């Protein structure tokens, strides 16, 4: 088994079903570019690699297809889809709408001191990823920050909605760190959100979160130029035609 796939498998919870663990490993592998856009996926090879039957692999492919991460082509195989600019923009729009509302509500209601400490601790751990750069660890801490904020406000359903729509967006986010979007900048943006929430300033919290969610719009064109094979050709061709 690929070493990175093995590491991702070990990160999953043993209490989860094989099909759930397999789905999480493949999803994270696609997001982290271990399985690259355009790459063919073999049901048999993956089943052999994880020492499982082909059924959970097949079910994982179906879920990944529903998430817009793979394309199942009858009689031809299963492929990791290239990044869709439109899907990224739509996911970013939805995520901003939901997370801005979460930040505003957190500032209006206030968060318990223990929760604010937890958020600030996550930010400090994120700063520890700046030098030396630890891309993978920052990605996990970033997820933990946004998930903690959503759940502590009581918006479990909102976080589930975000998770459902952000798969394509996550691939771009992962590509953008640390070169296009420095970890230090993202960490400072997280701090601005928490500072506004702690001060009970709803509008400032909402504005800080909106600025954070729009950061990807600044890095997307550069990423399309740097990694053209990872994006849908129509989007890249249109972008190059403008330059």
């Amino acid at each position: 088994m690929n070493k990175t796939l093995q590491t991702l498998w070990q990160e999953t919870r043993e209490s989860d079903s094989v099909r759930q663990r397999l789905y999480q490993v493949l999803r994270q592998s696609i997001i982290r570019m271990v399985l690259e856009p355009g790459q063919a996926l073999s049901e048999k090879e993956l089943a052999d690699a994880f020492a499982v039957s082909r059924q959970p692999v097949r079910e994982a492919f179906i879920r990944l297809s529903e998430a817009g991460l793979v394309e199942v082509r009858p009689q031809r195989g299963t492929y990791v889809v290239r990044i869709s600019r439109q899907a990224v923009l739509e996911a970013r729009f939805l995520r901003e709408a939901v997370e801005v509302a979460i930040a505003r509500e957190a500032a209006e209601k206030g968060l318990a001191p223990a929760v604010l400490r937890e958020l600030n601790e996550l930010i400090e751990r994120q700063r520890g990823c700046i030098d030396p750069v630890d891309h993978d660890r920052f990605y996990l801490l970033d997820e933990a920050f946004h998930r903690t904020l959503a759940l502590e406000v009581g918006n479990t359903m909102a976080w589930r909605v975000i998770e459902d729509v952000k798969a394509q967006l996550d691939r771009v986010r992962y590509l953008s760190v640390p070169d296009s979007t420095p970890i230090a900048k993202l960490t400072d943006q997280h701090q601005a959100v928490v500072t506004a929430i702690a001060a009970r300033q709803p509008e400032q919290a909402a504005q800080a979160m909106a600025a954070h969610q729009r950061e990807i719009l600044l890095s997307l064109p550069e990423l399309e130029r740097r990694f053209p094979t990872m994006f849908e050709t129509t989007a890249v061709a249109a972008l190059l035609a403008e330059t």
Side-chain angles (χ1 to χ4, degrees):
M1 186 191 300
N2 177 291
K3 185 176 180 180
T4 306
L5 290 178
Q6 187 177 45
T7 300
L8 290 171
W9 179 264
Q10 292 170 351
E11 289 177 0
T12 61
R13 295 178 297 191
E14 293 185 7
S15 58
D16 286 344
S17 66
V18 170
R19 62 172 60 88
Q20 177 63 20
R21 296 179 72 186
L22 189 57
Y23 168 72
Q24 289 296 336
V25 168
L26 293 178
R27 187 180 190 277
Q28 287 301 313
S29 297
I30 292 171
I31 288 171
R32 300 188 194 187
M33 302 297 170
V34 176
L35 300 174
E36 296 186 357
Q39 183 173 338
L41 302 179
S42 167
E43 189 178 290
K44 182 181 183 304
E45 288 178 5
L46 286 170
D48 291 344
F50 289 100
V52 300
S53 70
R54 295 174 69 164
Q55 183 60 30
V57 178
R58 193 173 300 121
E59 292 173 356
F61 282 175
I62 292 171
R63 290 185 64 186
L64 291 168
S65 176
E66 293 170 346
L69 291 175
V70 305
E71 180 183 2
V72 181
R73 303 176 187 173
Q75 311 304 319
R76 296 179 60 188
T78 299
Y79 298 83
V80 178
V81 302
R82 300 187 192 280
I83 300 171
S84 162
R85 177 180 238 270
Q86 186 59 34
V88 170
L89 295 177
E90 289 177 4
R92 190 219 62 82
F93 177 83
L94 289 170
R95 183 165 189 180
E96 178 184 332
V98 174
E99 293 218 41
V100 164
I102 287 172
R104 180 181 284 108
E105 185 175 351
E108 289 172 348
K109 292 182 176 179
L111 294 178
V115 176
L116 290 172
R117 282 197 300 273
E118 182 179 359
L119 291 171
N120 279 309
E121 286 171 6
L122 284 169
I123 291 171
E124 285 308 305
R125 291 166 64 190
Q126 289 167 15
R127 293 194 191 283
C129 299
I130 297 172
D131 188 18
V133 173
D134 191 335
H135 190 185
D136 289 333
R137 183 163 175 262
F138 176 79
Y139 175 80
L140 294 175
L141 290 169
D142 179 70
E143 286 287 288
F145 175 85
H146 288 278
R147 181 175 61 251
T148 298
L149 183 55
L151 298 185
E152 290 299 335
V153 172
N155 277 309
T156 302
M157 184 61 69
W159 180 251
R160 288 177 183 169
V161 169
I162 291 170
E163 284 193 310
D164 285 344
V165 303
K166 72 187 184 72
Q168 286 270 31
L169 179 60
D170 280 347
R171 292 205 285 176
V172 175
R173 288 172 56 225
Y174 195 81
L175 274 179
S176 71
V177 177
D179 298 328
S180 298
T181 310
I183 291 174
K185 184 175 185 180
L186 295 173
T187 303
D188 287 344
Q189 290 173 347
H190 287 164
Q191 188 64 71
V193 172
V194 174
T195 298
I197 290 172
R200 303 292 294 273
Q201 297 174 324
E203 288 311 310
Q204 286 86 337
Q207 290 170 13
M209 181 62 82
H212 179 55
Q213 294 299 331
R214 291 172 188 173
E215 187 65 36
I216 201 69
L217 295 175
L218 302 177
S219 59
L220 183 57
E222 178 188 350
L223 294 172
E224 288 176 314
R225 290 189 179 93
R226 288 176 56 198
F227 306 102
T229 61
M230 294 190 177
F231 288 83
E232 288 183 349
T233 55
T234 51
V236 177
L239 184 70
L240 294 176
E242 296 173 1
T243 59

